[in-house]
């Protein structure tokens, strides 16, 4: 690999196509980067390490805008550090995505009229591996389209041999340390996926239900409970009331009749009950509600499971075999027949959990599962942030992190699936339980069986920062690249992934956190701020935009909206604007190369430069310093904005235009400005490269003859500042801007030439007269010159002869008509805003609209009057 991309560069070429065609550049250029090994990190290098591990996308996934957004930012960070001389590793890979992948293959089998049970476990798992090889990992190719500078030689998969060994190793260690245990607890059960899912895989939404009030017991020994899940009453083992509730004190400790059954159940006193809510009495179903389960534990109540894994009722004759939702109506009907419904069913909106994978309503269910005892692990994860070993950016996101790790419940890690890391526990014929590590031989003989469950996907992805580097072996990669530098991810997976990695990293790596910084981003939304979803018409395939506008345009748009922790709105018009920016860079660089821009030879001394030369170099170094500061603070939107305005406004719209007269005149000043322009383009393209790598590399190699910007040097602020030159050019800009505004107000076309006299005496503008005239299309005054309009600006005076360019009488007539309309609008708005009766009745948004109309009318009046005053006398 070339250490210095600018050693003895060949003469630059000016052979650039007249138009930039991303499709012709991006694919071949990316393959060249990969073939030359630019993204491969060397664990033996003496360079300081910089490491980012990619949040592993699901093997079933495809690139969506959220991926494109985060990958753009991670790629920008890594490319910059590589250019700064770090041994930069951006490590890619995929997650096996247990439920999602198993669902894909089961759907495929269903189309063949089969189920996984027809194949058996071993053959089904083999079928999943076949599916993975054939269809999985599509997103990896799409990452190449985006330009991800990842080290493909280190690509990992959570089910590969090395990572599987890491999973077995940490399970065994946690088990031996009594941090993994098996227990019967309430879990979230998906009757569609037929597996437990964790709290963070449950999506809550407001669903319409019906609240039913039911009388339990008889006469004075009765009370009323209200529920939206009437079917679960078949599993009630108590009614709970608050111990201080006078209404029910006489019932505490008594047995009451449970309707529809032959059972009696106790009334228990529990402080968990809110006496102000509903009737103040609650039914207790320990096997089917997490809060009820806790009440049951406190009062030693039995737990009765009343439905199977499919959500079908399994108890009480009339209801056996009914689906849970069918049973709900049937139970209410039976209660009504017995006169137990004491209030009509009424609509009730309540928060209901749904499986994040298949959207089925989740069923709380008592189940024997494997758990991680998170208390000590979560405390360590919280302490690492509190004591500063790990920083969260932006800092105000720390509260969200602490809210989770400080209140974390034990984690259910077993899943009733076949695809995934099988739990390494063997059960013996006499009740033996043996945990088998990766180097252990599993027990054999009659009666020994392995646990049938697999581990939660997040268990293996929680090891990602160190398992991907070879842990538990002490590999050179692990020594060089752990801990990683920054985890850049969405704030929505703090709970899913970030906390898991913190817990496992601190535990497995002797208290060394898996990353120094957690940089949290927002979520990508549409241009109106609405969440993008596949079920909504606002979902966008980033590949479609890449095909239409180029990957650089998509990347720049995403970076330009990336404020720390804040959601990112994006629309196609913004991508078009970014496409225009890449085209501008291409066209302006091509023009500069054709007009003498070069990096050959040393940069001339400041004394040889024009004020414009010194100004642009001063602004260049200021921009370098700004961009560095923004990168270090993860302010991607600000750095993109700074680069955009420097490149488009200051370099292309001002410096190149101001220098045209110099270039056209030729000679030594043109040579100096050509070298300055080459320097500016060189540094500007380097600064832009991490965000828009394709167009910048194509242009930079043409400009400099260097091998590639991927291995080029990151620019440094030389410290050069020239405030007098900046002030001088600011005066030039003021004059040009003011006269341009006047020309526009008078309706002059951009290319229309106007005779003018410039009085620049006593100002710093004199050396710039030729440039000012050229940019403003101002002709010499001539013998017949008549000053029909005079503009005093920046201490100078610009006199214009408009007599031959506009019909003054017609222009006055037009402006007078516009002025009358604006004054009428002002009068009408003032009339409404001064009417108390109108203000008392009108909605706020109507009043605000009228105030806006008034402000616009007043602004128009001021503008038109100024235009009239500047017009020459007819």
């Amino acid at each position: 690999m070339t250490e210095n991309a600018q050693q003895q560069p060949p003469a630059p070429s000016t052979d650039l196509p007249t138009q930039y065609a991303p499709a012709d550049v991006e694919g071949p250029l990316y393959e060249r980067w990969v073939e030359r090994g630019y993204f491969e990190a060397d664990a033996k290098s003496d360079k300081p390490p910089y490491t980012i591990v990619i949040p592993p996308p699901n093997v079933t996934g495809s690139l969506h805008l959220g991926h494109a957004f985060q990958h753009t930012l991670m790629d920008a960070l890594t490319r910059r550090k590589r250019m700064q001389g770090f041994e930069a590793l951006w490590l890619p890979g995929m997650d096996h995505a247990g439920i999602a992948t198993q669902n894909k293959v089961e759907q495929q089998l269903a189309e063949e009229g089969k189920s996984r049970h027809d194949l058996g476990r071993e053959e089904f798992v083999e079928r999943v591996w076949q599916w993975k090889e054939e269809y999985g990992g599509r997103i990896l190719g799409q990452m190449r389209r985006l330009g991800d500078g990842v080290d493909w030689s280190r690509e990992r998969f959570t089910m590969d041999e090395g990572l599987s060994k890491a999973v077995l190793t940490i399970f065994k260690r946690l088990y031996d340390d009594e941090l993994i245990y098996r227990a019967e607890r309430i879990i979230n059960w998906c009757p569609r996926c037929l597996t437990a899912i964790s709290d963070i895989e449950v999506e809550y939404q407001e669903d319409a239900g019906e609240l039913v009030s039911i009388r339990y017991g008889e006469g004075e020994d009765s009370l009323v409970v209200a529920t939206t899940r009437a079917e679960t009453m078949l599993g009630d083992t108590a009614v709970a009331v608050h111990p201080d509730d006078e209404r029910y004190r006489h019932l505490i400790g008594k047995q009451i009749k449970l309707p529809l059954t032959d059972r009696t159940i106790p009334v228990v006193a529990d402080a968990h009950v809110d006496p102000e809510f509903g009737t103040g009495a609650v039914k207790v179903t320990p096997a089917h509600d997490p809060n009820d389960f806790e009440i049951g534990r406190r009062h030693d109540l039995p737990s009765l499971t009343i439905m199977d894994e499919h959500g079908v009722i399994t108890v009480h004759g009339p209801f056996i075999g009914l689906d849970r939702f069918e049973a709900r109506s049937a139970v209410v009907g039976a209660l009504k027949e017995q006169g137990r419904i004491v209030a009509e069913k009424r609509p009730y909106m309540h928060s209901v959990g749904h499986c994040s994978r298949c959207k089925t309503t989740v069923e709380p269910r008592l189940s024997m599962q494997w758990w991680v005892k998170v208390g000590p692990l979560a405390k360590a994860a919280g302490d690492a942030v509190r004591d500063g070993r790990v920083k969260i950016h932006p800092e105000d996101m720390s509260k969200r992190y602490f809210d989770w790790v400080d209140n974390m419940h034990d984690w259910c890690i077993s899943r009733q699936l076949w695809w995934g890391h099988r739990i390494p526990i063997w059960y013996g014929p006499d009740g033996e339980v043996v945990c088998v590590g990766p180097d252990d031989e599993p027990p054999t003989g009659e009666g020994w069986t392995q646990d049938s469950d697999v581990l939660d996907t997040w268990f293996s992805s929680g090891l990602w920062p160190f398992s991907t580097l070879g842990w538990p072996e002490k590999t050179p990669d692990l020594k060089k690249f752990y801990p990683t530098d920054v985890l850049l991810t969405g704030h929505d997976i703090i709970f899913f992934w970030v906390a898991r990695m913190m817990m496992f990293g601190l535990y497995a790596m002797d208290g060394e956190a898996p990353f120094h910084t957690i940089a949290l981003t927002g979520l990508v939304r549409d241009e109106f701020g609405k969440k993008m979803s596949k079920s909504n018409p606002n979902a966008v395939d980033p590949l479609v935009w890449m095909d239409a506008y180029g990957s650089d345009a998509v990347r720049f748009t995403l970076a330009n909206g990336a404020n720390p922790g804040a959601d990112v709105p994006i629309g196609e018009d913004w991508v078009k604007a970014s496409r225009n920016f890449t085209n501008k860079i291409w066209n302006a660089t091509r023009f500069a190369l054709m007009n003498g821009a070069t990096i050959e030879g040393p940069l001339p001394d400041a004394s040889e430069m024009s004020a414009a030369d010194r100004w642009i170099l001063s602004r260049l170094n200021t921009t370098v310093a700004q961009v560095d500061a923004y990168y270090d603070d993860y302010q991607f939107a600000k750095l993109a904005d700074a680069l955009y305005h420097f490149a488009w406004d200051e370099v292309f719209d001002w410096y190149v235009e101001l220098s045209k007269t110099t270039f056209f005149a030729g000679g030594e000043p043109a040579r100096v400005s050509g070298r300055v322009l080459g320097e500016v383009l060189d540094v500007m393209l380097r600064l832009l490269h991490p965000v828009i790598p394709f167009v910048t590399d194509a242009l930079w190699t043409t400009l400099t003859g260097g091998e590639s910007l991927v291995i080029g040097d990151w620019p440094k602020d030389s410290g050069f500042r020239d405030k007098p030159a900046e002030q001088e050019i600011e005066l030039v800009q003021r004059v040009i801007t003011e006269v341009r505004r006047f020309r526009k107000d008078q309706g002059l076309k951009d290319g229309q030439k106007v005779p003018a006299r410039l009085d620049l005496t006593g100002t710093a503008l004199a050396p710039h007269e030729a440039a000012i005239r050229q940019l403003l299309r101002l002709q010499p005054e001539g013998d017949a010159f008549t000053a029909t309009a005079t503009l005093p600006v920046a201490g100078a005076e610009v006199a214009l002869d408009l007599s031959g360019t506009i019909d003054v009488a017609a222009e006055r007539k037009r402006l007078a008509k516009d002025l009358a309309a604006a004054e009428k609008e002002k009068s009408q708005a003032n009339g409404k805003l001064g009417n108390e009766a109108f203000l008392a009745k009108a909605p706020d948004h109507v009043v605000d609209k009228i105030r806006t109309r008034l402000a616009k009318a007043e602004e128009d009046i001021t503008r038109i009057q100024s235009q009239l005053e500047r017009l020459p006398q007819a």
Side-chain angles (χ1 to χ4, degrees):
M1 188 183 297
T2 302
E3 288 294 324
N4 186 341
Q6 268 197 243
Q7 287 182 355
Q8 302 299 320
S13 166
T14 57
D15 186 22
L16 283 173
T18 55
Q19 290 185 324
Y20 178 50
D24 295 341
V25 172
E26 293 177 350
L29 189 52
Y30 187 85
E31 292 309 313
R32 192 180 315 145
W33 293 337
V34 173
E35 287 167 8
R36 293 180 178 180
Y38 292 159
F39 304 138
E40 294 179 15
D42 182 1
K44 299 178 182 178
S45 166
D46 293 332
K47 297 177 181 179
Y50 183 82
T51 317
I52 296 180
V53 291
I54 208 164
N58 286 352
V59 66
T60 59
S62 59
L63 191 75
H64 57 64
L65 273 175
H67 289 128
F69 170 54
Q70 291 180 356
H71 287 206
T72 293
L73 305 188
M74 285 185 278
D75 195 30
L77 290 171
T78 310
R79 285 176 182 271
R80 172 176 174 256
K81 285 296 183 179
R82 188 179 292 115
M83 294 174 74
Q84 286 181 316
F86 286 77
E87 195 62 44
L89 169 61
W90 187 20
L91 195 147
M94 292 184 300
D95 189 278
H96 65 278
I99 295 176
T101 308
Q102 180 157 320
N103 281 349
K104 288 277 188 184
V105 179
E106 288 198 86
Q107 289 166 12
Q108 196 177 64
L109 286 174
E111 292 171 3
E112 301 170 13
K114 299 177 183 178
S115 75
R116 60 180 161 126
H117 299 286
D118 294 324
L119 273 65
R121 183 170 193 140
E122 188 174 333
E123 189 177 339
F124 176 78
V125 171
E126 180 59 34
R127 180 72 176 257
V128 180
W129 277 108
Q130 291 172 8
W131 181 93
K132 185 256 182 187
E133 293 304 315
E134 187 172 354
Y135 300 105
R138 178 175 48 158
I139 192 172
L140 300 179
Q142 296 166 342
M143 287 162 55
R144 301 169 88 95
R145 284 285 315 277
L146 187 65
D148 282 9
V150 296
D151 186 344
W152 292 110
S153 70
R154 285 178 166 85
E155 180 190 333
R156 304 305 299 267
F157 179 54
T158 49
M159 287 282 285
D160 68 28
E161 183 178 353
L163 270 66
S164 295
K165 181 177 182 180
V167 168
L168 296 177
T169 300
I170 202 161
F171 187 99
K172 171 87 170 145
R173 290 189 188 180
L174 289 164
Y175 181 85
D176 290 346
D177 287 344
E178 299 183 350
L179 292 172
I180 283 182
Y181 63 95
R182 192 172 187 235
E184 193 174 45
R185 299 273 181 84
I186 286 283
I187 48 92
N188 304 296
W189 181 264
C190 176
R192 160 63 183 79
C193 298
L194 297 180
T195 181
I197 58 176
S198 66
D199 291 344
I200 51 181
E201 292 171 304
V202 177
E203 294 178 349
Y204 287 91
Q205 65 185 46
E206 290 295 311
D207 283 2
E210 291 181 328
L211 195 64
V212 182
S213 296
I214 311 168
R215 182 174 297 281
Y216 285 20
E218 306 293 344
E220 292 184 359
D221 291 347
S222 69
L223 39 64
V224 175
V225 299
T227 181
T228 58
R229 302 174 68 216
E231 73 282 4
T232 63
M233 66 155 295
L234 300 173
D236 285 358
T237 56
V239 173
V241 298
H242 194 277
D244 299 329
D245 194 330
E246 293 293 338
R247 295 171 295 176
Y248 305 117
R249 182 163 289 180
H250 69 289
L251 290 176
I252 295 173
K254 288 188 176 182
Q255 295 281 326
I256 61 172
K257 181 76 164 53
L258 178 65
L260 305 183
T261 73
D262 296 327
R263 295 189 289 117
T264 60
I265 58 176
V267 177
V268 299
D270 196 283
H272 171 78
V273 178
D274 180 1
E276 302 298 323
F277 183 77
T279 64
V282 298
K283 58 191 288 298
V284 181
T285 320
H288 293 277
D289 183 275
N291 293 323
D292 293 3
F293 177 76
E294 295 301 327
I295 293 176
R297 291 178 67 179
R298 287 195 290 272
H299 297 277
D300 199 23
L301 300 174
S303 296
L304 302 180
T305 299
I306 64 162
M307 62 182 80
D308 67 13
E309 61 185 7
H310 297 280
V312 173
I313 301 298
T314 58
V315 299
H316 202 69
F319 310 111
I320 291 176
L322 294 180
D323 172 82
R324 53 186 167 154
F325 300 118
E326 295 172 333
R328 185 169 301 169
S329 297
V331 166
V332 171
L335 289 168
K336 189 173 290 186
E337 286 181 11
Q338 292 189 4
R340 291 287 178 176
I341 303 296
V342 299
E344 287 298 317
K345 294 187 293 184
R346 58 186 179 88
Y348 183 74
M349 295 298 294
H350 60 140
S351 182
V352 178
H354 297 261
C355 173
S356 63
R357 297 292 180 189
C358 68
K359 311 309 177 187
T360 300
T361 300
V362 167
E363 188 65 40
R365 186 168 188 258
L366 187 64
S367 180
M368 184 68 76
Q369 301 285 345
W370 286 95
W371 305 79
V372 171
K373 187 178 183 180
V374 299
L377 303 174
K379 182 181 183 302
D383 290 345
V385 174
R386 286 189 170 95
D387 64 24
R389 279 176 288 157
V390 177
K391 298 187 182 303
I392 292 181
H393 186 88
E395 193 175 350
D396 58 11
M397 284 281 179
S398 298
K399 182 180 184 302
R400 190 176 294 197
Y401 176 81
F402 291 131
D403 284 346
W404 180 250
V405 297
D406 293 348
N407 300 286
M408 195 182 297
H409 300 297
D410 283 2
W411 172 19
C412 177
I413 56 171
S414 45
R415 298 291 180 267
Q416 289 64 56
L417 304 170
W418 287 356
W419 172 245
H421 297 98
R422 194 165 176 181
I423 288 176
I425 296 289
W426 268 255
Y427 304 106
D430 298 317
E432 302 95 332
V433 179
V434 176
C435 181
V436 176
D439 300 320
D440 302 331
E441 289 294 328
T444 57
E446 187 176 347
W448 282 94
T449 58
Q450 185 178 357
D451 196 297
S452 60
D453 290 350
V454 300
L455 287 163
D456 178 10
T457 300
W458 297 101
F459 190 95
S460 51
S461 59
L463 315 180
W464 191 251
F466 52 95
S467 64
T468 52
L469 297 172
W471 186 91
E473 308 302 327
K474 294 181 179 179
T475 63
D477 275 5
L478 191 64
K479 181 178 179 181
K480 177 76 173 180
F481 296 112
Y482 187 92
T484 67
D485 286 83
V486 60
L487 172 72
L488 190 143
T489 190
H491 60 63
D492 57 324
I493 61 170
I494 289 178
F495 325 119
F496 287 89
W497 193 46
V498 179
R500 311 296 193 210
M501 287 189 291
M502 285 287 284
M503 292 192 302
F504 281 166
L506 290 160
Y507 173 79
M509 299 300 293
D510 300 320
E512 195 167 20
F515 17 76
H516 300 305
T517 301
I518 301 169
L520 296 171
T521 69
L523 308 179
V524 177
R525 296 183 177 273
D526 70 14
E527 58 194 301
F528 305 108
K530 293 181 180 178
K531 183 178 180 180
M532 287 191 177
S533 168
K534 291 181 181 178
S535 60
N536 293 335
N538 66 350
V540 173
D541 181 351
L543 295 168
V544 172
W545 281 354
M546 289 184 213
D547 288 341
Y549 309 113
S551 297
D552 281 335
V554 174
R555 290 171 61 114
F556 192 81
T557 306
L558 291 165
N560 205 26
N563 290 299
D567 288 348
V568 184
I570 184 172
E572 188 168 7
D573 285 346
W574 304 342
V575 184
K576 289 179 182 177
S578 296
R579 184 271 316 271
N580 295 343
F581 180 49
T582 60
N583 286 345
K584 181 76 170 181
I585 295 170
W586 182 274
N587 294 334
T589 303
R590 184 173 179 275
F591 170 85
L593 288 168
M594 292 172 63
N595 286 275
T598 179
I599 64 159
E600 292 183 5
L603 198 63
D605 188 78
S607 62
E608 302 176 58
M609 298 178 188
S610 68
D613 294 336
R614 299 194 308 277
W615 164 74
I616 197 62
L617 289 175
S618 184
R619 293 296 307 134
L620 175 68
N621 280 285
T622 297
T623 302
V624 170
Q626 285 179 332
V627 169
D628 275 332
Y630 290 145
Y631 263 116
D632 293 341
D633 199 33
Y634 303 100
Q635 298 277 1
F636 295 98
K638 290 183 178 179
L639 72 89
D641 187 65
L643 287 169
Y644 177 90
H645 288 293
F646 175 73
W648 194 308
D649 298 347
E650 296 185 308
V651 178
F652 302 142
D653 279 0
W654 284 110
Y655 180 68
V656 170
E657 294 299 320
L658 287 170
S659 302
K660 279 182 178 178
T661 53
T662 304
F663 289 136
F664 296 160
E668 184 61 15
R671 186 196 69 79
V672 170
S673 291
R675 180 64 186 88
V676 169
L677 181 53
E679 183 77 11
V680 170
L681 291 175
D682 177 16
V683 174
M684 182 194 76
L685 292 170
R686 292 171 192 263
L687 291 173
L688 283 163
H689 175 74
V691 179
I692 48 174
F694 294 108
V695 68
T696 51
D697 199 45
L699 291 172
W700 185 84
T701 52
T702 302
L703 169 71
T704 67
E707 184 180 333
S708 174
L709 254 183
V710 179
I711 54 170
D713 295 329
W714 182 253
K716 295 179 180 178
D717 175 8
S718 71
F720 178 83
R721 300 290 190 278
D722 194 323
K723 287 298 178 186
E726 290 193 33
Q727 292 168 354
E728 184 172 327
I729 298 303
E730 284 171 10
L731 289 178
V732 175
Q733 291 172 325
R734 281 176 59 192
V735 170
I736 293 172
T737 301
E738 186 66 25
V739 176
R740 278 177 174 167
R741 186 180 296 118
F742 176 75
R743 287 176 58 104
K744 184 178 180 181
D745 287 344
Q746 304 310 313
L748 296 176
K749 296 178 181 178
D750 290 342
Q752 192 170 355
K753 295 182 178 180
V754 178
R757 180 175 62 239
L758 304 185
D759 184 358
L760 310 177
T761 307
T763 72
L765 297 167
H768 305 284
E769 180 169 352
I772 292 171
R773 284 188 174 277
Q774 179 174 319
L775 291 174
L776 290 173
R777 305 292 190 269
L778 301 181
Q779 293 178 317
E781 52 193 280
D783 295 336
F785 178 81
T786 302
T788 58
T790 302
L791 304 175
V793 56
E797 190 173 270
V798 180
L800 304 173
D801 184 352
L802 304 178
S803 57
T805 57
I806 62 173
D807 184 334
V808 176
E811 186 65 10
R812 282 190 174 277
K813 186 176 180 180
R814 183 185 69 81
L815 290 172
K817 183 178 178 181
D818 290 347
L819 181 61
E823 288 174 336
K824 182 180 179 181
E825 176 76 359
K826 177 182 176 180
S827 176
Q828 289 176 342
N830 273 327
K832 288 185 178 180
L833 294 174
N835 185 332
E836 294 296 333
F838 170 79
L839 293 176
K841 295 179 181 179
D844 289 345
H845 72 275
V846 173
V847 176
D848 289 342
K849 188 174 181 180
I850 293 171
R851 289 196 177 109
T852 301
R853 284 170 48 195
L854 174 62
K856 175 69 167 56
E858 289 175 337
E859 181 183 314
D860 288 345
I861 290 168
T862 301
R863 175 180 55 80
I864 295 167
Q865 287 175 338
S866 175
Q867 289 177 246
L868 283 167
E869 289 171 3
R870 289 178 168 181
L871 273 178
Q873 297 300 314

